Structure formats: C-alpha cells, structure tokens
Amino acid sequence: MSAQIIDGNVIAERMQAEIAAAVQKMKDEHGVTPGLAAVLVGDNPASRQYVGMKRRRCAKVGIDSFGYELPATTTQEELHKLILELNADPKVHGILVQLPLPDHIDEEAILGAIQLEKDVDGFHPVNIGRLAMKGREPLFIPATPYGCMVLLDEVGVQVSGANAVVLGRSNIVGLPAAMLLLHRNATVTICHSRTKDLPAVVRTADILIAAVGRPEMVKADWVKPGAVVIDVGSNRIEDPTAEKGYRWVGDVAFDEVKEVAGAITPSPGGVGPMTITMLLKNTLRAAEMAIAKAGK
Ligand code: NDP
C-alpha cells in the first residue's frame, strides 16, 4: 500500500496564514510590527538565495525584514559590532546570521553574541544547551528540526516510546532533531558516517529523519513497513532530461520508499517550506516576548 504523502507546502501555507493573522493582530493591538534582521556575509549564491527567500516570506506575512549584506572581507570585530547594534535596536526582534560564515570568522563567537531573546535561529549555545538537557526548554528551536516535529504531529504519529532514527548529526539539523525527539520521549538512535550497517539500524525506525545530504541514499529495503519518513535532504543532481539539466531530490529514494512507509515527505515540497515557516513563527514569538517584557 502506498504511503500517506505529507505535503509540506499545504501545511506551510496554512501556518503562514495563521502567522499573518497574528502579525496583523499584533499591529492593531500593540502597534508593533515583528522585525527580522537578516545578515549575509560574503557572496555565496546559495546563501544569498536563502536569505532572499526568507525576506520575501517575511513580507508576505507582514513581518519587517532588514537586510545586511557584508563583503567576504568583513572582520570578526565588524560583524560583532553589527550584532551588538541589532541587539540594541527595538525594531529588530529576531537576528538571523546566514551560515556558513567565511572561514576567518569565529562562528560560535558570533552566534553567542546574539541576544538570547533575539536568537530566532535557535543556534545560540545557551539555546542549544537547553535543548540538550532534560527538563530544560530553549527559547527558540532551530527551524528545520522544528519543522520536522510539526510534520510528525500533522500525521498524528505517537512519538513517545517510538524508535526514532536520525540520519545525520549536523548542528543545524541532525543533532537538534535528535534532541527534540528525545524531549518527546522517543528512543533515539543517531547515525553518521561511521555508523556500521546503516540499513539494519535504519530498519529499526518507527520514525526516520534523514539529513545526510546524499541523493536518494535511503532505499525501500532500509525502511520498516509503516514507518514515518521525514526527508530533510535537498540535493541537486544532473538530469539531461530535465529542462534545466538538473533536478532536486531528497536523501530518500522517494518512489520506492513510498511503497513501504506509512507516511513520507517528498523533497522538494516537504521539510523545505516548513523551515521558513518556523523561522517566521520564531520571529513572531520573539516580538510577543518583547511586548510582554515591555508590559505594552
Ligand atoms: P551536513 O553535511 O552538515 O551533515 C551531514 C551528516 O550526514 C553528517 O552528520 C555526516 O556524518 C552524515 N553523513 C554523510 N554521509 C553519510 C553516509 N554515507 N552515511 C551516514 N551518514 C552520513 O548536512 P546538513 O545537516 O546541513 O544537511 C543535510 C541535508 O539536508 C542536505 O541535503 C541539506 O541540503 C539538507 N537541508 C535541508 C534544509 C531544508 O530546509 N529542507 C535545511 C538544512 C539542510 P559525519 O558527522 O560523521 O560527517
């Protein structure tokens, strides 16, 4: 039987409409417009494209976005100074520093300089530390893993007690996804490039989150029948039959795995649209916290 297809575009559109309504209500009731500062250092075309997409989505839901495009030669001190200015700016409720930063910049120091209440990407060491601890809650959850959890909830899967396998241990996806699953009482296995007999480990999963960056690596015979599969992967592959000569695929061999899984996200059209949505949600939350703090 073919799996339920989890349509991230539909879920993201619905959530963005809810966010837009909440933003309008905030403007009407408090005279406050949520604001996101997006900081881009260097001229990585993919990063530029991501920042552009995020800013366009902000505009769509009524969030102000302020773009800061700095040259690749920007020094640590210059970037740090900008972060401090943004921390102090009351129009800015969230600060997004697009990663990766150029090699000469100390990423941890920059992320650590962002005021905790404005850390809408959830990458501040304190937010990540809280995510990693039992009984603690971060102020913000990183957008991509947050989106994965929303998708799991959309299909109504019981996370508590489930065997969850996370494929990948990056700081931005795999690790925080595993921590979130643990917070929800799943039994979590984290796989990476040194994991032995990957297919056998993946076959234990009731819930699989794949974030490895390897095109269509997860095959049908890796997947337990009925498992819920969330494919974070977004990989460009050559395809002479495609109009542009390439197409995008996930980390999961979608066509064959959908015949085995209980539910599955496509890629594109699954996690991707959720990532931006969760960033907008975090920015709205940052503005709500600022209003509550000011007693407005
Ligand atoms: P990273 O390259 O930072 O991490 C990849 C992880 O996968 C690492 O932990 C690595 O192991 C592991 N890995 C790599 N190859 C293998 C292998 N053959 N077997 C087992 N494990 C392996 O990637 P990201 O986490 O940043 O991204 C993962 C994917 O998700 C990419 O396709 C990316 O484009 C996509 N992505 C999508 C987003 C979205 O919004 N849809 C957002 C962010 C990412 P080790 O640690 O041992 O090196």
Side-chain angles (χ1 to χ4, degrees):
M1 207 179 74
S2 211
Q4 174 188 350
I5 309 300
I6 311 169
D7 190 334
N9 284 319
V10 168
I11 297 163
E13 282 298 327
R14 191 192 69 218
M15 288 185 72
Q16 286 179 23
E18 290 164 5
I19 293 167
V23 167
Q24 189 56 51
K25 192 160 176 268
M26 182 179 282
K27 289 180 187 176
D28 294 344
E29 289 181 2
H30 301 280
V32 173
T33 302
L36 176 72
V39 181
L40 176 66
V41 186
D43 42 23
N44 179 325
S47 293
R48 186 175 296 275
Q49 198 185 345
Y50 292 143
V51 168
M53 274 161 53
K54 289 168 187 175
R55 295 194 61 198
R56 280 193 294 280
R57 284 288 156 175
C58 278
K60 200 178 155 216
V61 299
I63 292 177
D64 281 341
S65 76
F66 312 102
Y68 295 85
E69 297 198 4
L70 309 179
T73 50
T74 303
T75 64
Q76 181 84 21
E77 291 69 30
E78 287 164 338
L79 185 54
H80 191 256
K81 185 166 165 279
L82 173 62
I83 299 296
L84 297 185
E85 283 166 15
L86 297 174
N87 282 346
D89 186 339
K91 294 191 300 302
V92 171
H93 301 99
I95 301 170
L96 155 90
V97 177
Q98 186 65 40
L99 302 178
L101 289 167
D103 288 345
H104 67 277
I105 303 275
D106 178 348
E107 177 185 299
E108 194 180 347
I110 293 299
L111 296 179
I114 296 173
Q115 191 181 314
L116 212 51
E117 289 81 6
K118 298 192 178 189
D119 177 38
V120 287
D121 255 344
F123 295 147
H124 189 290
V126 170
N127 271 325
I128 292 289
R130 286 183 183 165
L131 191 62
M133 292 173 85
K134 192 179 172 190
R136 306 278 164 83
E137 295 293 339
L139 281 182
F140 300 101
I141 298 168
T144 302
Y146 191 2
C148 293
M149 298 308 291
V150 171
L151 293 175
L152 288 176
D153 288 337
E154 282 284 330
V155 287
V157 60
Q158 167 92 18
V159 177
S160 180
N163 287 333
V165 172
V166 180
L167 212 43
R169 56 174 166 179
S170 72
N171 288 334
I172 60 167
V173 190
L175 264 181
M179 296 310 152
L180 283 169
L181 288 160
L182 197 56
H183 271 255
R184 295 276 299 272
N185 299 316
T187 302
V188 183
T189 306
I190 305 172
C191 300
H192 45 77
S193 62
R194 318 288 162 84
T195 300
K196 287 186 183 142
D197 199 356
L198 204 54
V201 181
V202 172
R203 262 194 299 274
T204 64
D206 304 311
I207 295 170
L208 172 65
I209 295 186
V212 272
R214 302 271 179 251
E216 301 182 315
M217 186 174 88
V218 176
K219 308 295 183 202
D221 63 356
W222 295 31
V223 175
K224 184 199 272 193
V228 178
V229 178
I230 306 291
D231 186 359
V232 182
S234 177
N235 311 292
R236 195 174 124 158
I237 58 166
E238 303 306 313
D239 181 355
T241 67
E243 201 180 310
K244 293 179 177 163
Y246 63 84
R247 65 192 164 90
W248 293 90
V249 297
D251 291 342
V252 175
F254 179 81
D255 287 339
E256 55 180 90
V257 172
K258 78 175 182 347
E259 301 304 324
V260 183
I264 185 169
T265 60
S267 178
V271 175
M274 296 304 293
T275 295
I276 294 187
T277 306
M278 304 328 286
L279 173 70
L280 301 175
K281 199 171 164 64
N282 279 347
T283 305
L284 174 65
R285 179 171 146 73
E288 286 167 353
M289 289 191 314
I291 290 169
K293 198 171 170 186
K296 272 196 187 179

